[in-house]
Amino acid sequence: MDITLVPGFNPGPYTGAGNNTYVISGEMPTLLDAATGEAAHLTALAGVLGSSSLAQVLVTHAHPDHVDGCDPIAERWPDAVFRKLPWPEQDRLQSVECVPIADEDRVAAGDGVLRVVHTPGHAPDHLCFLEENTGTLFSADLVVAGSSVVIPASRGGSLAQYLASLRRVLALGPARMLPAHGRAIDDPAAILNQYLEHRQLREDQIVAALRAGDRLPDAIVDRLYEGLDPRLKRMALESVVAHLMKLREEGRTRSDSEQTEWELA
Ligand SMILES: [Zn+2]
């Protein structure tokens, strides 16, 4: 599989150095993720495509740093077909019509085939794409080397689903992962296990914070994330609430109906 990384040129507090998008060259020139439509991204994309046209864009999920580029890309490459797993309330923010794809579909890309792997948790529509001959997994926002992934509890995130997705990908045994943020991952099992351990540690810390008398997610964030960049506080809150909700699903916490105050069940 002939894969070229094309950076999204959209650095920021939530995107790190910016998004990675990938061109798969061949019979079916394919772009993995649309990034945010920066002029530099479109120029770089045109450079990699050269004389071939763009046949399709596979979108991993409807977060803005993955889909905002869809409309500008469609404008420049009007024959490109866009495919993603539907998330209706988010998808209508783009004018591009996406052809629906689903878990375990096989999609032709480049000179090969990608297996669609639905991996909800970070977002309900989150997909990874596995090239089975080489074990290459386009892993989107499943993991980021040297960092962690936000589970936005108030916007379709689910920690229980996320943990199941990490375990599912671990069981698939990919040889390498090409993420939407950060460097390529040559030892997927190690990072997937680290992530599972990290979430367990966080859960233990949150249970300890509740036991110590913290009631508000805000107080738990202040206890757990010392020296947090204030711009990231909202996301840290989301992560803590995601844990609290998972624990509630398991009958281990309860909250008032507004989810402002929490305690151990
Ligand atoms: Zn995302």
Side-chain angles (χ1 to χ4, degrees), residues 19 60-66 122-123 126 140-141 149-150 152 181:
N19 282 55
T60 61
H61 62 296
H63 284 163
D65 56 321
H66 303 260
H122 169 70
H126 190 276
D141 285 359
V149 166
V150 174
H181 304 275

Side-chain angles (χ1 to χ4, degrees), residues 6-63:
V6 183
F9 297 94
N10 59 330
Y14 295 124
T15 60
N19 282 55
N20 301 327
T21 72
Y22 299 93
V23 169
I24 307 171
S25 304
E27 188 83 349
M28 176 75 98
T30 296
L31 175 67
L32 250 294
D33 266 348
T36 50
E38 301 302 316
H41 181 239
L42 300 192
T43 303
L45 182 53
V48 172
L49 289 167
S51 57
S52 57
S53 79
L54 181 61
Q56 72 179 343
V57 181
L58 301 177
V59 178
T60 61
H61 62 296
H63 284 163

Side-chain angles (χ1 to χ4, degrees), residues 125 172 185 210 215 234:
D125 58 340
L172 287 173
I185 294 159
L210 290 167
R215 290 285 169 270
R234 192 171 58 80

Side-chain angles (χ1 to χ4, degrees), residues 20 28 40 52 70 72 77-78 82 85 107-108 115 127 132 148 152 163 168 190 204 210 212 219 247 252-253 256 263:
N20 301 327
M28 176 75 98
S52 57
C70 286
W77 287 277
F82 291 72
L85 187 135
V107 181
R115 172 178 167 190
L127 298 178
E132 294 182 294
S148 72
L163 295 173
R168 180 176 179 199
D204 295 346
L210 290 167
L247 289 163
R252 296 168 63 195
T253 58
D256 58 290
E263 61 185 3

Side-chain angles (χ1 to χ4, degrees), residues 5-264:
L5 191 161
V6 183
F9 297 94
N10 59 330
Y14 295 124
T15 60
N19 282 55
N20 301 327
T21 72
Y22 299 93
V23 169
I24 307 171
S25 304
E27 188 83 349
M28 176 75 98
T30 296
L31 175 67
L32 250 294
D33 266 348
T36 50
E38 301 302 316
H41 181 239
L42 300 192
T43 303
L45 182 53
V48 172
L49 289 167
S51 57
S52 57
S53 79
L54 181 61
Q56 72 179 343
V57 181
L58 301 177
V59 178
T60 61
H61 62 296
H63 284 163
D65 56 321
H66 303 260
V67 295
D68 280 358
C70 286
D71 288 346
I73 289 170
E75 205 166 292
R76 180 134 171 197
W77 287 277
D79 295 334
V81 175
F82 291 72
R83 300 181 204 275
K84 76 182 288 295
L85 187 135
W87 180 9
E89 63 263 45
Q90 282 297 312
D91 293 342
R92 63 185 154 72
L93 302 176
Q94 311 297 323
S95 32
V96 157
E97 280 290 330
C98 285
V99 176
I101 48 176
D103 190 38
E104 295 294 355
D105 280 355
R106 302 297 203 268
V107 181
D111 293 322
V113 173
L114 296 176
R115 172 178 167 190
V116 178
V117 184
H118 186 207
T119 42
H122 169 70
D125 58 340
H126 190 276
L127 298 178
C128 294
F129 293 89
L130 179 64
E131 200 285 305
E132 294 182 294
N133 291 329
T134 58
T136 299
L137 184 82
F138 295 93
S139 55
D141 285 359
L142 188 71
V143 297
V144 181
S147 182
S148 72
V149 166
V150 174
I151 307 303
S154 67
R155 288 173 298 118
S158 159
L159 184 58
Q161 289 181 350
Y162 179 66
L163 295 173
S165 293
L166 290 174
R167 291 195 188 98
R168 180 176 179 199
V169 169
L170 188 60
L172 287 173
R176 70 169 173 155
M177 296 198 293
L178 300 178
H181 304 275
R183 60 173 170 77
I185 294 159
D186 292 322
D187 189 356
I191 192 168
L192 291 165
N193 280 314
Q194 268 169 28
Y195 263 58
L196 287 164
E197 283 160 23
H198 170 74
R199 292 293 169 173
Q200 187 59 54
L201 176 74
R202 273 275 180 258
E203 181 170 300
D204 295 346
Q205 290 172 329
I206 288 167
V207 168
L210 290 167
R211 195 166 289 136
D214 288 349
R215 290 285 169 270
L216 308 175
D218 207 64
I220 299 175
V221 167
D222 290 343
R223 188 192 288 267
L224 263 55
Y225 296 80
E226 225 175 292
L228 179 71
D229 179 340
R231 292 174 302 176
L232 300 178
K233 172 118 190 207
R234 192 171 58 80
M235 285 304 183
L237 266 173
E238 290 271 9
S239 258
V240 165
V241 173
H243 273 280
L244 291 167
M245 287 168 68
K246 170 187 175 277
L247 289 163
R248 190 177 56 193
E249 283 165 37
E250 296 167 354
R252 296 168 63 195
T253 58
R254 56 177 164 248
S255 68
D256 58 290
S257 57
E258 311 278 79
Q259 302 192 153
T260 34
E261 289 204 33
W262 293 78
E263 61 185 3
L264 290 173

